[in-house]
Amino acid sequence: MNATIALFLAQDGIINGAIYALLGVALVLVFAVTRVIFVPQGEFVAWGALTVAALEAGTVPGTAWLLAVLGLAAALLEVVRERHAMSVAKVAVMVVRDVALPFALLGLVIWAAPMRLGLAVYVLVTLVLLVPMGPLIYRLAFQPLADAPVLVLFIAAIGVHFSLLGLGLVFFGAEGFRNTPFLDMSFPLGPMMVKAQSVWIVVVTLLLLAALYAFFERTLLGKALRATAVNRLGARLVGIPVRATGRMAFALAAAIGAVSGILIGPLTTIYYDSGFLIGLKGFVAAIIAGLASYPLTALAALLVGMLESFSAFFASAFKEVIVFSLLIPVLVWRSFAAGHHDDEEEE
Amino acid sequence: MSAHILEVSGLFVSYGRVEAVRGVSLSIPVGGIVTVIGANGAGKSTLMNAIMGVLPSRGEVLFQGRPLGRSLVEARVGEGVCLVPEKRELFAAMTVQDNLQLGAYRLGRSAVAGGMEEVFARFPRLKERRGQLAGTLSGGERQMLAMGRALMSRPRLLMLDEPSLGLAPLIVREIFRIVTDLRKDGVSILLVEQNARAALQVADEAYVMELGEITLHGPASQLAADSRVIESYLGLGARH
């Protein structure tokens, strides 16, 4: 290996690491606020890329239909479950938000899909379709289990993952897609050529991480999310609606997943089932950071990305093995370092 | 408008098949301090948690004349009910200032600055500690922060669960002084205490709770002179 190859591998590592950082942070966020290990995080990555691909092809993405169905299901379920405690106004708000809006959106997509309005519009439509799916999935799958143990929530998350995976195959088929880059150009940096898309990924990741930091540190809503994570009962006692913070966390996770997918779509071929493995590497980063610290997760993600790209060079057949094996020493070290005082953090 | 801020009638709370609170009725006059005294495990905390909506209950709870029904905890906070629980339930990994800010969550950012000034005036110690993480505070400071955080939501009814538990006598006196101050500012108070002597001194009315039921009720001064209360809760060796 010479310096040029090392630079190339490092570049790859940084790009992968940036995406894993976003996904890892989203996993930490969802876990902290709702105690759900968000296995379907990766589906949002795949769907982000594939929804853009479908729109580029001038077709109506299946995700537009799914959003309408999910909205209808969530609204129906909630009306049935809380029929005693719901006012007419509340039902009306829900019908507009969960049923009318998604169907209007579906109509709009069906109408506009053949017009090929351009990449910026596709990206916007993809986000508008995927972000609300986060809270809808939370309401359908996790909110009814809000007080269940972590293991039950985890099993539910795996169930959601498999459902979404199957739906992805129905929506997008088994074929892979590679999207048009936002900026189709490269420029030399020292001895190597850097794709503008790569720079774009790193810049967007940094901006998103900075925005998330500002959100959690500076805004009352961000602090409310942190407070829910720190002490759920305490949060309820100061009047923070913990269901709403759960939805918010899922919306952020869906947004982060979709953005990640949109970002990597032009760099790699994405299949309906590509998301899981990408999400899993974000998960490795999150675990290294103890599912607790955002900055540590971002750093760990960079490590995972680097390790992946260098092991792809030295032992490409063992690339995934090496990355996932990283967990073993980390878990062993954590189990020794953490001792027994974890129980005190319980509510 | 009712003369009572809170009227509880026939309240039952069960943990599985065990009834921890059985047919409790009590009322709190507007601007009054009412205390519930009783031994450990009598159901006092359970009663408060049920009024707050943390635990499901049967029976009727009227707040300002309106039934609270099955409304969620967060909605009750919005109405003006606030509980300072026995375990304080602070946001340990966040600063004193952040804890206080979140206390005003329902009122929004505009209410934060004014509320924080008032809380700092009441608890100067919190002002000194405002940048410190809540988890690093002493027991007394934690109780002050828990009360300060509750006051940030501008409650009409403040429920204090064992505010003196585990605190040094000097700090206990300070806490009770603040409780009487709060009444002057129009906050009604429900106080659950094992320190019956101190509680009966500040309260207007008192209830004695035993095994999930109210066994005695009357003006606090009268109960403080009642032979049964003296024997069980005030006499020598009655410290629980």
Side-chain angles (χ1 to χ4, degrees):
Chain A
M1 177 156 84
N2 59 30
T4 315
I5 294 176
L7 273 176
F8 265 113
L9 293 175
Q11 185 198 344
D12 253 15
I14 289 171
I15 294 158
N16 292 344
I19 296 295
Y20 301 153
L22 285 177
L23 299 177
V25 164
L27 283 165
V28 172
L29 166 68
V30 167
F31 181 72
V33 175
T34 65
R35 299 178 305 126
V36 173
I37 291 176
F38 195 41
V39 188
Q41 175 77 66
E43 267 61 64
F44 283 90
V45 180
W47 290 8
L50 293 174
T51 303
V52 170
L55 291 168
E56 274 186 343
T59 56
V60 178
T63 37
W65 288 96
L66 182 64
L67 181 68
V69 172
L70 284 178
L72 189 63
L76 278 177
L77 208 73
E78 224 144 289
V79 168
V80 170
R81 203 176 286 139
E82 295 181 19
R83 57 194 177 280
H84 306 293
M86 279 192 126
S87 59
V88 178
K90 226 175 152 186
V91 174
V93 168
M94 224 167 61
V95 168
V96 170
R97 188 192 58 194
D98 297 340
V99 184
L101 266 181
F103 274 97
L105 208 60
L106 173 64
L108 204 65
V109 172
I110 292 175
W111 173 69
M115 292 196 236
R116 313 238 175 173
L117 293 170
L119 191 56
V121 176
Y122 303 152
V123 168
L124 191 72
V125 170
T126 301
L127 288 175
V128 171
L129 289 177
L130 293 185
V131 174
M133 267 185 211
L136 285 173
I137 286 172
Y138 174 69
R139 281 162 62 190
L140 281 168
F142 301 106
Q143 194 169 293
L145 301 171
D147 297 318
V150 173
L151 186 62
V152 173
L153 293 171
F154 181 56
I155 293 167
I158 293 176
V160 171
H161 159 66
F162 280 121
S163 322
L164 297 190
L165 194 67
L167 286 171
L169 180 58
V170 174
F171 293 158
F172 303 108
E175 202 184 327
F177 293 90
R178 188 184 278 244
N179 297 338
T180 322
F182 300 101
L183 301 165
D184 197 4
M185 55 186 203
S186 305
F187 57 90
L189 184 75
M192 61 177 178
M193 290 298 285
V194 176
K195 280 186 189 165
Q197 183 71 18
S198 311
V199 178
W200 183 231
I201 288 183
V202 175
V203 168
V204 171
T205 300
L206 289 177
L207 283 179
L208 269 179
L209 289 178
L212 280 173
Y213 178 80
F215 173 68
F216 286 121
E217 288 295 323
R218 298 266 176 268
T219 69
L220 199 56
L221 188 60
K223 285 179 186 177
L225 278 163
R226 274 167 65 206
T228 312
V230 174
N231 188 330
R232 204 177 163 80
L233 178 58
R236 294 183 72 195
L237 289 176
V238 297
I240 295 170
V242 291
R243 285 178 176 184
T245 48
R247 291 174 191 180
M248 182 82 203
F250 269 73
L252 281 172
I256 289 173
V259 167
S260 307
I262 292 168
L263 284 174
I264 57 167
L267 282 186
T268 174
T269 308
I270 296 283
Y271 299 85
Y272 76 99
D273 62 351
S274 300
F276 181 63
L277 209 58
I278 300 172
L280 208 53
K281 285 170 192 156
F283 182 66
V284 171
I287 290 289
I288 293 175
L291 267 180
S293 158
Y294 299 105
L296 269 185
T297 303
L299 277 179
L302 204 59
L303 175 74
V304 171
M306 286 289 186
L307 189 67
E308 188 189 15
S309 80
F310 278 89
S311 46
F313 177 77
F314 287 113
S316 69
F318 290 101
K319 180 178 84 158
E320 318 289 8
V321 179
I322 293 171
V323 169
F324 293 123
S325 308
L326 186 61
L327 271 183
I328 297 171
V330 168
L331 287 177
V332 169
W333 168 67
R334 280 212 163 264
S335 72
F336 280 120
H340 305 286
H341 51 259
D342 273 359
D343 297 4
E344 286 173 357
E345 295 298 316
E346 286 290 304
E347 287 162 21
Chain B
M1 187 94 209
S2 154
H4 287 103
I5 189 146
L6 186 83
E7 289 161 279
V8 176
S9 47
L11 194 78
F12 287 83
V13 187
S14 343
Y15 293 106
R17 292 177 63 188
V18 181
E19 280 190 331
V21 170
R22 293 182 293 189
V24 165
S25 300
L26 70 87
S27 49
I28 302 171
V30 174
I33 300 182
V34 172
T35 183
V36 178
I37 57 177
N40 230 338
K44 304 178 305 269
S45 297
T46 306
L47 171 66
M48 277 192 164
N49 280 317
I51 294 172
M52 194 66 232
V54 176
L55 292 172
S57 59
R58 283 175 294 130
E60 192 170 50
V61 181
L62 295 180
F63 181 69
Q64 297 186 308
R66 286 197 307 271
L68 287 177
R70 291 212 256 164
S71 60
L72 297 170
V73 178
E74 40 270 35
R76 294 180 192 211
V77 175
E79 298 260 323
V81 190
C82 205
L83 168 68
V84 178
E86 189 185 326
K87 289 184 175 167
R88 324 305 192 218
E89 306 293 354
L90 297 171
F91 307 124
M94 300 173 82
T95 63
V96 167
Q97 205 160 349
D98 283 349
N99 270 272
L100 290 175
Q101 259 190 21
L102 286 163
Y105 182 79
R106 304 289 306 190
L107 303 175
R109 197 162 260 274
S110 56
V112 169
M116 195 107 70
E117 280 311 306
E118 279 175 42
V119 169
F120 284 154
R122 234 183 265 279
F123 304 97
R125 181 70 75 84
L126 292 181
K127 191 169 187 174
E128 292 165 27
R129 297 264 189 258
R130 60 181 159 190
Q132 207 170 313
L133 294 184
T136 65
L137 297 178
S138 73
E141 289 164 347
R142 281 182 204 205
Q143 179 56 33
M144 289 178 193
L145 179 56
M147 287 174 72
R149 188 179 72 176
L151 291 173
M152 288 294 290
S153 71
R154 303 200 176 278
R156 290 168 205 274
L157 171 66
L158 183 65
M159 299 194 282
L160 300 168
D161 195 353
E162 306 277 7
S164 75
L165 192 74
L167 302 185
L170 208 64
I171 299 169
V172 172
R173 221 172 300 151
E174 174 71 7
I175 298 278
F176 279 101
R177 185 187 60 74
I178 290 163
V179 169
T180 27
D181 275 0
L182 284 174
R183 186 238 305 264
K184 284 185 209 141
D185 297 336
V187 183
S188 314
I189 289 164
L190 177 60
L191 177 68
V192 155
E193 260 298 338
Q194 284 190 49
N195 185 345
R197 193 183 304 273
L200 290 173
Q201 266 170 19
V202 297
D204 311 311
E205 279 183 55
Y207 291 79
V208 175
M209 204 169 170
E210 284 168 354
L211 299 172
E213 289 173 355
I214 300 289
T215 51
L216 278 175
H217 165 221
S221 53
Q222 203 175 314
L223 250 65
D226 188 290
S227 60
R228 284 164 295 178
V229 174
I230 292 173
E231 195 186 317
S232 308
Y233 302 106
L234 299 177
L236 288 175
R239 283 279 164 87
H240 291 272

